[in-house]
Amino acid sequence: MKAAIVSAAGELPVYGDFPEPQADESHVVVTVKAAAVSQLAKARAAGTHYSAAAHYPFITGIDGTGTLSNGDPVYFLAFNAPWGSMAERTLVPADSIVSLPPTLDPVLAAALANPGMSSWAALTRRAQLRTGETVLINGATGTSGGLAVRIAQHLGAGKIIATGRNRAALDQLRAQGADLTFTLDELPDALPALMKEGVDVVLDYLWGQSALDIMHAAVAGEEKTVRFVQIGSLSGQEITLHSKLLRSSGLTLMGSGLGSVSDKELIACIGEMLTAAAESDFSIAFQMRPLSDVALAWQEDDSRCRTVFTL
């Protein structure tokens, strides 16, 4: 069968032939319909992510949509090396599959799953968002952050604050549910008033200076019980975090991602999110490419338009 194959650490995926998967007592074969490129998929393929496979060759891709042998449409997680999602068929643990709502386009579902899961898991499993609470989304102008605005609204947030670098993108988020928007340059001056009014949950896609500014403001303000959920690090991997920020307040700092949420809970989150997507407008921009284009399309990077390989 055809697949996108990584043969060594640091090498780009190549479209080629790979042995057919064989079902067993705990794994099923999925005929793949669509699989999206994500930063996590890229990092695992490059061998730089903490969850990356250590043995080569393997099929790249972490998730996708397809059908079971009986024709049922499903979404699946593919962390079972060497069986990634970017292949005509792949081998998936039976407990890493959820049914797709019949009204949800499987290609859109593949595009939505990874960015949608990031905020759904953060809000429901980590921060345990309560109806009416205020959510600040730091770095909301990419696909994941923008989708987080609509997911927070769907889950009952009372007020949603969005930050980012792109003013035009922030203006679009106002039409999608954000109550307040600030550029990263505007944020430091706005934070004291925001914290005085009350911020309950922060979803942070950036890390870096803006994350540190938010935590300092949370501790300095009257409301010191902010649940800060770290999701992405587009502004850098490291910050200098003084211990007193945690000792002197009720600030709760946590992460959300592979390891902090179990695989079982991740698949449950995605199932819940895709069910909600069939009822609410979670649509995002994406482009379809045949899997045979993987060598050309793999390095294309547009945070506001996902690439989805189709088979």
Side-chain angles (χ1 to χ4, degrees):
M1 68 172 184
K2 295 296 185 181
I5 304 163
V6 176
S7 296
E11 291 190 5
L12 296 177
V14 174
Y15 185 69
D17 293 312
F18 203 85
E20 287 276 357
Q22 302 295 324
D24 58 33
E25 293 181 354
S26 57
H27 297 79
V28 298
V29 173
V30 176
T31 299
V32 181
K33 171 67 175 179
V37 180
S38 65
Q39 291 304 316
L40 175 56
K42 286 185 174 183
R44 282 171 59 90
T48 58
H49 194 266
Y50 61 83
S51 67
H55 301 288
Y56 300 86
F58 65 85
I59 299 169
T60 192
I62 61 167
D63 66 345
T65 59
T67 56
L68 301 179
S69 59
N70 62 2
D72 286 352
V74 296
Y75 167 86
F76 63 92
L77 282 176
F79 292 133
N80 186 35
W83 305 106
S85 60
M86 295 181 182
E88 291 180 307
R89 286 164 294 281
T90 193
L91 192 67
V92 181
D95 58 3
S96 294
I97 291 173
V98 294
S99 297
L100 281 183
T103 58
L104 186 61
D105 176 11
V107 181
L108 173 60
L112 279 175
N114 184 267
M117 173 269 292
S118 71
S119 56
W120 193 282
L123 289 168
T124 63
R125 267 57 174 190
R126 302 297 284 155
Q128 298 182 10
L129 179 71
R130 294 183 284 271
T131 300
E133 289 190 315
T134 295
V135 177
L136 190 160
I137 302 168
N138 190 39
T141 54
T143 297
S144 297
L147 190 52
V149 170
R150 282 172 284 164
I151 287 175
Q153 184 181 48
H154 177 87
L155 291 171
K159 180 190 289 185
I160 300 169
I161 304 162
T163 77
R165 294 183 177 86
N166 187 312
R167 169 48 64 187
L170 288 171
D171 290 342
Q172 290 178 355
L173 292 177
R174 291 293 294 270
Q176 297 175 0
D179 298 287
L180 298 171
T181 59
F182 300 94
T183 66
L184 296 185
D185 289 336
E186 297 167 342
L187 183 61
D189 290 336
L191 277 169
L194 292 177
M195 291 301 171
K196 185 175 182 179
E197 292 175 12
V199 173
D200 300 292
V201 174
V202 176
L203 301 188
D204 174 50
Y205 286 91
L206 298 181
W207 209 226
Q209 187 60 47
S210 62
L212 197 56
D213 289 343
I214 292 168
M215 285 187 276
H216 275 289
V219 171
E222 297 176 8
E223 177 56 68
K224 299 183 178 182
T225 57
V226 176
R227 286 112 69 200
F228 188 106
V229 189
Q230 212 298 301
I231 303 172
S233 51
L234 292 174
S235 290
Q237 297 289 343
E238 298 181 1
I239 61 173
T240 301
L241 182 65
H242 199 290
S243 60
K244 71 179 181 181
L245 283 180
L246 301 179
R247 293 203 313 268
S248 65
S249 73
L251 175 68
T252 301
L253 177 60
M254 67 191 87
S256 186
L258 298 180
S260 61
V261 180
S262 69
D263 289 354
K264 180 180 179 180
E265 284 299 307
L266 281 180
I267 197 71
C269 286
I270 295 169
E272 295 164 7
M273 189 273 297
L274 292 176
T275 297
E279 303 167 355
S280 301
D281 180 16
F282 289 175
S283 59
I284 60 173
F286 65 90
Q287 61 171 336
M288 294 187 292
R289 299 286 293 269
L291 185 60
S292 55
D293 285 354
V294 64
L296 294 173
W298 187 254
Q299 296 190 86
E300 295 175 0
D301 189 16
D302 184 344
S303 65
R304 289 179 289 277
C305 183
R306 300 202 75 198
T307 296
V308 182
F309 292 119
T310 56
L311 296 104

